[in-house]
Structure formats: structure tokens, C-alpha cells
Amino acid sequence: MNKHIVFLALTVTLLSGQLLAQETNENALQSGTIDEQFDYIYGASNNYQEYKVVRRSFLDRLKSNMLDSIQTMRGEVLELKKDVQTRQDSIRSIQNLLAQTESEKQEAIAAKDNFNFLGLGIQKGVYSTFMWVLVGALAAALALFSFKYFRSFSKIKKAEKDLAELQEEFEQHRKNTLERERKLKRELIDAQMGKS
């Protein structure tokens, strides 16, 4: 009897293991990856001469699973294409914005470096150079006129001094002449009085 129990236990164990393996393999057909499903069908198929005989239900299930996978992948591909297109559009708009910003930056730099002076557009560097040349020319003119003024001023002072000396000399000469005239008049009056 002991033999029968061991034989029965061994049979039940083998059958349950085989049913469990078959159930696990069928789960592989229903929820496994495509590779696992092909492996299951290849393992579950029978040999006939040099061919493999596969159950039609397995092939139908594999076909259904593959079509579902393909449909899912197509959906994912479409979503990825839409995402790529959205990103490309976004990149294009960002590039356009960048180009516009760069253009505005160049215009701002040009506007900063240029301004209108007497209705003419002039660069600040040219204006600055022109103004420094003008300041230099005015400084040179001021120096020249100052030199001429001081030279003329010294000539005027000398002329005034000479004029003062000449006036003094003239005044002295006039006084001398008046005195000589008076002297001559007295002598003339004395001579006329002496004759009379």
C-alpha cells in the first residue's frame, strides 16, 4: 500500500507540475512578450516529419496579440511624430524669436552708437572726434588770439608810454616856447618902451 501512495503522490505531483507549467506557458501566450509567445508556441507545437504542427488557437492568439502590439506601436509612433512636429514647430518659433531678438539687439546697438545732430545721422565716435577737433581748434584760436592780444597790449602800453613821454616833452617844449615868447614880448615891450 505504501507503494501505491508514493506512486499516487508522484503522479499527482507530476500532473500538477505539468498543469502548472502549461498554465504558466499559456499565461506567457496571453500576457508575455512576443518573444515569449513565439517560444511558447514553438515548445507547445508537435513534430510531424520535419514540420511543426501548431494549434490554430495559438496562432490566432499570437496574431491577435501581434496586431494589438502593432496597433499600440502605431499609436505610439503617431504620438511621437506629433510630439516631434510640435517640438520642431516650437524650435522654429524659438529660432524666429531669437533672430528677431538679435535684429532688435543690432538695431539697439546701432541706435546707441548713432544719433541725429543737425538732422544728420552721426556715429558717436565720429561726433566725439569732431567735437574734440573743434575744441582743439577753438583752443588753438584762443591761444592765437590771446597771444596777439597780449602782444598788441604790450605794443599799446609802449605806445601809451611813448605818447605820455611825447606829451610831457611837448608840454615841456610848449612851456619853453611860451616862456621864450614871453621873454621876447617883454624884450620887445622893453625895447619899444626904451625907444619911446
Side-chain angles (χ1 to χ4, degrees):
M1 177 103 144
N2 210 1
K3 264 184 165 182
H4 288 301
I5 292 175
V6 171
F7 179 70
L8 188 61
L10 188 60
T11 307
V12 169
T13 306
L14 285 175
L15 284 176
S16 65
Q18 189 177 11
L19 286 176
L20 185 62
Q22 187 177 1
E23 187 176 303
T24 303
N25 288 338
E26 284 186 24
N27 283 340
L29 185 60
Q30 292 179 8
S31 63
T33 64
I34 299 290
D35 286 338
E36 291 172 352
Q37 291 177 22
F38 271 111
D39 289 343
Y40 172 73
I41 289 176
Y42 186 76
S45 62
N46 295 325
N47 289 334
Y48 175 73
Q49 294 179 353
E50 61 183 67
Y51 302 105
K52 283 281 195 182
V53 178
V54 180
R55 282 187 181 172
R56 180 155 182 111
S57 64
F58 288 170
L59 286 177
D60 289 342
R61 172 55 96 181
L62 180 62
K63 178 182 175 185
S64 173
N65 291 344
M66 288 184 69
L67 289 175
D68 286 345
S69 295
I70 290 171
Q71 191 64 25
T72 303
M73 286 182 188
R74 280 184 183 159
E76 289 175 359
V77 167
L78 285 176
E79 283 183 35
L80 289 173
K81 282 184 179 179
K82 286 179 186 176
D83 188 39
V84 166
Q85 186 63 38
T86 304
R87 288 180 188 216
Q88 285 176 344
D89 291 343
S90 176
I91 288 170
R92 271 191 226 102
S93 67
I94 289 171
Q95 286 173 340
N96 290 339
L97 182 62
L98 179 64
Q100 181 182 359
T101 304
E102 184 66 27
S103 172
E104 289 173 359
K105 180 185 101 175
Q106 293 302 326
E107 288 174 8
I109 289 171
K112 180 182 158 238
D113 289 341
N114 295 324
F115 65 96
N116 286 333
F117 179 70
L118 301 175
L120 299 172
I122 298 177
Q123 287 184 346
K124 284 187 178 179
V126 172
Y127 175 76
S128 177
T129 303
F130 173 73
M131 291 313 270
W132 281 112
V133 167
L134 183 63
V135 166
L138 290 174
L142 178 65
L144 177 68
F145 289 126
S146 296
F147 173 72
K148 287 191 174 199
Y149 171 77
F150 286 118
R151 194 171 79 181
S152 296
F153 185 73
S154 67
K155 285 183 180 179
I156 289 171
K157 283 293 184 184
K158 185 178 181 234
E160 283 178 349
K161 181 182 170 191
D162 289 345
L163 179 64
E165 286 177 5
L166 189 61
Q167 279 180 344
E168 189 179 311
E169 198 177 298
F170 177 73
E171 200 52 47
Q172 186 66 34
H173 181 67
R174 192 173 66 88
K175 282 181 187 177
N176 287 342
T177 307
L178 272 175
E179 198 163 311
R180 247 188 286 153
E181 219 177 275
R182 274 190 214 143
K183 225 182 200 186
L184 281 173
K185 275 187 185 180
R186 262 190 226 147
E187 284 179 9
L188 181 63
I189 289 179
D190 282 346
Q192 278 181 355
M193 281 210 189
K195 277 190 187 181
S196 40

